[in-house]
Amino acid sequence: MTRPTGRPQRPLFSSGPCAKRPGWTLSLLENAALGRSHRSKPGKAKLAEVIDRSRKILGVPADYRIGIVPGSDTGAVEMALWSLLGPKPVTVLAFESFSKDWAKDITGQLKLNATVLEAPYGALPDLKAIDWSHDLVFCWNGTTSGVRLPAGDWMPADRGGLTICDATSAAFAMDLPWDRLDVVTWSWQKVLGGEAAHGMIALSPRAVERLTTHKPAWPLPKVFRMTASGKLSEGIFKGETINTPSMLCVEDQLDALAWAERIGGLKALIGRTEANIAVLSDWVARSPWAAFLAEDAKTRSTTSVCLKIVDPWFRALGSEAQQDVAKQLAAAIEAEGVGFDLGAYRDAPPGLRIWCGATVEATDIAALLPWLDWAYAQVKAKTEKAA
């Protein structure tokens, strides 16, 4: 193939930390409350502003509490699991790496006898098999599998248990049915391109009731505690974080939220994401060697898009050779400086993963695609010659 000439202006397609928003520069952080306590009046005001702006953009109901917590989305999910589970049976939807980790933690660490509904990468578990008297733990979007849940009508309004949703690569890019979700977690480093290590958790009134009436059978680390003496620690949900946050990262998140507001809020963020996946979908439809790992378009992720290699030549290779070809493919693209961090997640089938969230430009996706074809042809020819 002829080597492409066009290049993405920003070849940043990592699924986390993700590309910064268009036009971002370090100078935008000059008003950060550096050297000030996060418990000072200016510090608390900025933290509260992150909460308030996040609520407005996402459309979180007014009676839901929102808090900033340590440990990114992982910390927020673990906080929910350790604090809320126990009173009811638990079902886990496990269809990608992180949801499988939640299942392991629930059964191995909390020692709960959970029902685990599994599916292979690229598919969803049988949603009709869910017992809605159970608490349900799940990812809305499979960051490592490229599969997302459908619209929320599969979840009954009169469910008996709590719904605990890891929404880290869905929040700000997909509509979430808040009336069906009791706990929602996300991180700053995904759709808005913020910095890592900070997570957020939203709690419905039902979740708050569970928190204040249920005492877990296991000890809770300090960073997981959202109650004191049986009462909700309201300060957490007003910007009084459990541990010390980075005020530089807080300023960065405020900039990202302000950008989201300027371009039109959630509707615009979803629109940018869907424009990106549309460009990629057109290319996949024509590609002789690449396909979506998630075959059903209705449940295909629009953010962390996973590709598999369907070339008969590739499929005839052994598993180790397939892994090697996929790694060479990602490395060849990176070596040209046209696409960074495109390798599939380490537990996923060999292939590529391209972030299409709102901070990525559709023109950069379009400029990347000829390089994918070129790099695949180069790696294939090299591998065949070596054989």
Side-chain angles (χ1 to χ4, degrees):
M1 284 188 62
T2 303
R3 189 174 183 274
T5 55
R7 304 173 68 85
Q9 289 189 358
R10 292 197 306 161
L12 306 174
F13 304 103
S14 164
S15 290
C18 301
K20 309 299 287 184
R21 59 96 166 171
W24 182 92
T25 67
L26 274 171
S27 63
L28 295 167
L29 308 183
E30 62 184 9
N31 292 323
L34 301 182
R36 295 298 308 272
S37 168
H38 61 296
R39 303 197 186 281
S40 68
K41 188 174 180 179
K44 286 197 292 186
K46 286 180 179 290
L47 289 160
E49 187 180 352
V50 170
I51 292 172
D52 294 342
R53 283 183 149 176
S54 298
R55 181 188 300 277
K56 181 180 178 182
I57 294 171
L58 290 172
V60 181
D63 58 353
Y64 279 50
R65 267 76 163 196
I66 302 176
I68 299 169
V69 300
S72 195
D73 177 68
T74 300
V77 173
E78 295 286 8
M79 176 182 283
L81 302 184
W82 286 68
S83 299
L84 294 166
L85 296 184
K88 289 181 176 289
V90 184
T91 293
V92 186
L93 303 183
F95 57 95
E96 51 86 57
S97 180
F98 291 102
S99 53
K100 291 179 181 180
D101 284 343
W102 308 147
K104 290 177 183 178
D105 287 353
I106 291 167
T107 57
Q109 301 299 319
L110 302 183
K111 307 297 183 184
L112 296 176
N113 186 21
T115 299
V116 180
L117 302 179
E118 294 192 67
Y121 280 89
L124 284 175
D126 181 5
L127 302 181
K128 295 179 180 178
I130 298 171
D131 185 336
W132 291 103
S133 68
H134 291 197
D135 290 333
L136 181 68
V137 177
F138 58 97
C139 294
W140 191 268
N141 182 82
T143 308
T144 66
S145 69
V147 180
R148 66 172 175 175
L149 289 165
D153 54 4
W154 58 277
M155 309 169 71
D158 59 348
R159 60 199 178 275
L162 298 179
T163 50
I164 300 175
C165 174
D166 172 356
T168 193
S169 56
F172 296 102
M174 304 173 193
D175 275 317
L176 297 174
W178 289 97
D179 61 326
R180 309 297 169 96
L181 303 174
D182 294 300
V183 180
V184 180
T185 68
W186 66 93
S187 62
W188 296 353
Q189 63 176 328
K190 296 293 186 180
V191 177
L192 292 185
E195 293 304 299
H198 299 78
M200 298 197 74
I201 187 167
L203 304 173
S204 73
R206 297 176 77 235
V208 171
E209 181 183 11
R210 172 76 67 83
L211 270 177
T212 55
T213 58
H214 165 61
K215 185 176 181 179
W218 41 79
L220 279 181
K222 178 182 178 180
V223 292
F224 288 177
R225 296 176 202 157
M226 292 181 279
T227 61
S229 302
K231 295 183 179 180
L232 190 70
S233 299
E234 292 284 3
I236 294 173
F237 309 100
K238 298 177 182 178
E240 298 173 13
T241 55
I242 297 173
N243 71 333
T244 306
S246 163
M247 297 310 296
L248 192 65
C249 293
V250 170
E251 195 70 21
D252 183 67
Q253 183 66 0
L254 286 173
D255 171 74
L257 291 164
W259 168 74
E261 291 169 348
R262 288 196 302 273
I263 67 171
L266 182 61
K267 183 177 180 180
L269 294 170
I270 293 174
R272 286 178 61 89
T273 302
E274 292 183 345
N276 289 336
I277 185 65
V279 172
L280 190 54
S281 295
D282 288 345
W283 173 80
V284 168
R286 302 188 305 270
S287 175
W289 64 271
F292 290 113
L293 183 59
E295 295 182 2
D296 185 351
K298 295 179 181 178
T299 56
R300 183 178 299 146
S301 173
T302 54
T303 54
S304 52
V305 183
C306 298
L307 301 176
K308 61 184 178 180
I309 302 173
V310 294
D311 182 351
W313 166 81
F314 176 85
R315 298 178 69 176
L317 299 174
S319 58
E320 289 188 9
Q322 288 183 347
Q323 291 283 356
D324 184 59
V325 166
K327 290 178 180 178
Q328 286 188 57
L329 176 58
I333 297 164
E334 183 162 333
E336 294 291 336
V338 294
F340 295 103
D341 308 315
L342 296 181
Y345 192 74
R346 59 180 179 267
D347 295 334
L352 298 174
R353 182 171 57 157
I354 301 172
W355 183 255
C356 290
T359 58
V360 174
E361 300 282 16
T363 51
D364 285 334
I365 296 283
L368 168 70
L369 300 177
W371 288 96
L372 300 187
D373 288 325
W374 176 83
Y376 182 73
Q378 301 302 306
V379 172
K380 181 177 179 179
K382 179 182 175 182
T383 304
E384 288 180 323
K385 183 178 181 180

